[in-house]
Amino acid sequence: MNLARFPRIRLGHFPTPLEPMEALTRHLGGPRLWIKRDDCTGLSTGGNKTRKLEYLCAEAIALKADVLITQGATQSNHARQTAAAAAKLGLACHILLEDRTGYADAAYTQSGNVLLDKLHGAQVSRRPGGADMPAEMEALAAGLRAKGHTPYVIPGGGSNPVGALGYANAALELLNQAAEIGLRIDHVVHATGSAGTQAGLVAGLVALNSGIPVLGIGVRAPREKQEANVLALAQRTVAHMGLPGIVRPEHVVANCDYVGQGYGIPTQGMVEAVKLLAEKEGILLDPVYSGKGMAGLIDLIGKGYFKPEENIVFLHTGGSVGLFGYPEAFEVPAG
Ligand SMILES: *Cc1c(COP(=O)(O)O)cnc(C)c1O
């Protein structure tokens, strides 16, 4: 695997730390839990989209784009990191936010990621839930082209074979860190949504012949659909890397039992996981992705999915800014 031939622009702080979670491991009675801190990528409070944007923005600049367009849910971390990347690179940025939850309160619609989108100078506009967001982005791009601009359209979550290179590279970074400290990684677990993170990780881990399985905890789609999305993108990513055919269906595993009522809708398990990590490890998860991912990991540990002596790496994909969009979900008793 040689990723150095793909153009990349530095936007974040890498490598992100790989740390043990000793208190959480003790609290749960094993397995040995580690955390890969991709919440600490540095760009506008960090998160997993920064790795993807390093490759996507390099392509945008090569194509002489002057404006980035992307889309996401109202509290999209991807939109916020794209707005920050555009600011840093001197590009304009248009963000389309889809109302996937129906929440109309000021915290959800104005605080958290939305506040930061605007601070970074992005133009934010809203679309109703269920809108055809790729078509909406294309319409916006056509309008900008007609005015003489060169837009670069980034798909939701930055999930295409270019963006996924960021996580193929993260796989290499993680294996190097594990080798340095003599850590045998038995599983990688993380929250999966638009599929680019898991697709890139699987592409990298398979290309490097690591033998390490990845478990994606779904936050939106049912399992069959999520696995099909990840597999298709992982296969396109390895083809883009010049290694077609190396990813097979057995490399892609998702568990979508922790979505609850839907994307962005809090679950009790998520609230408990966010509070537990905050109290035991001083780590902030998020309500939409990493909180549900951790809820899944904790529940699977309770069900004996992992062996006590195994080393599990939880990839923290970021998103804690989204906590400010959900204050009532975490209401702590007065007193
Ligand atoms: C986008 C996101 C994910 C999911 O990553 P995908 O590549 O979209 O599957 C997980 N966690 C956080 C905090 C995110 O913002």
Side-chain angles (χ1 to χ4, degrees):
M1 180 171 98
N2 176 16
L3 297 178
R5 60 209 166 92
F6 295 103
R8 174 184 179 193
I9 279 186
R10 297 302 292 245
L11 295 169
H13 303 168
F14 299 109
T16 59
L18 173 64
E19 300 169 334
M21 294 195 284
E22 281 160 13
L24 187 66
T25 299
R26 264 197 311 280
H27 179 77
L28 298 174
R32 290 190 214 113
L33 298 172
W34 298 75
I35 190 160
K36 173 73 170 152
R37 300 292 304 269
D38 274 13
D39 56 321
C40 300
T41 55
L43 182 72
S44 183
T45 76
N48 62 338
K49 305 310 182 304
T50 303
R51 291 189 190 269
K52 303 179 187 183
L53 287 163
E54 289 197 331
Y55 289 93
L56 291 162
C57 290
E59 185 175 79
I61 285 172
L63 294 170
K64 304 212 175 343
D66 59 357
V67 48
L68 302 182
I69 297 175
T70 199
Q71 61 98 356
T74 303
Q75 283 294 334
S76 169
N77 303 299
H78 164 68
R80 180 244 312 156
Q81 287 161 85
T82 303
K88 187 174 164 77
L89 298 172
L91 305 172
C93 184
H94 283 260
I95 284 169
L96 300 182
L97 296 180
E98 179 191 359
D99 175 19
R100 286 191 209 158
T101 62
Y103 295 158
D105 57 291
Y108 186 77
T109 58
Q110 302 295 339
S111 186
N113 283 291
V114 184
L115 173 71
L116 300 193
D117 294 343
K118 292 178 178 171
L119 268 181
H120 290 304
Q123 296 222 34
V124 175
S125 50
R126 311 207 182 226
R127 297 291 183 273
D132 182 345
M133 297 303 280
E136 295 288 334
M137 288 200 293
E138 269 318 315
L140 180 61
L144 287 167
R145 270 185 219 107
K147 289 186 190 145
H149 290 286
T150 307
Y152 180 81
V153 176
I154 298 176
S159 288
N160 63 17
V162 175
L165 291 175
Y167 271 91
N169 199 35
L172 179 62
E173 182 181 304
L174 178 62
L175 293 188
N176 283 337
Q177 286 174 313
E180 259 167 42
I181 59 174
L183 171 67
R184 182 203 70 235
I185 299 173
D186 295 297
H187 293 270
V188 174
V189 179
H190 69 92
T192 177
S194 68
T197 300
Q198 188 170 4
L201 268 182
V202 166
L205 289 172
V206 171
L208 294 164
N209 196 27
S210 71
I212 299 173
V214 178
L215 173 62
I217 306 289
V219 299
R220 191 177 189 188
R223 181 174 62 83
E224 296 72 26
K225 185 167 179 227
Q226 189 66 21
E227 288 184 343
N229 288 348
V230 174
L231 178 62
L233 182 52
Q235 289 178 332
R236 287 168 62 211
T237 303
V238 289
H240 184 57
M241 288 159 56
L243 297 166
I246 64 168
V247 170
R248 295 187 305 274
E250 60 267 30
H251 293 129
V252 173
V253 180
N255 180 323
C256 299
D257 295 346
Y258 303 95
V259 176
Q261 283 177 30
Y263 175 90
I265 313 271
T267 63
Q268 197 191 330
M270 176 280 287
V271 172
E272 286 168 7
V274 168
K275 288 184 175 173
L276 188 66
L277 270 279
E279 290 172 7
K280 296 278 175 211
E281 293 287 345
I283 286 173
L284 296 173
L285 299 175
D286 86 278
V288 179
Y289 296 95
S290 56
K292 287 185 179 176
M294 181 57 76
L297 173 57
I298 291 169
D299 188 63
L300 290 170
I301 288 172
K303 289 178 170 154
Y305 186 91
F306 306 101
K307 299 192 189 82
E309 70 283 3
E310 284 186 325
N311 291 295
I312 316 300
V313 174
F314 181 75
L315 172 69
H316 189 340
T317 41
S320 63
V321 166
L323 291 169
F324 300 104
Y326 289 81
E328 65 299 328
F330 301 96
E331 218 139 30
V332 281

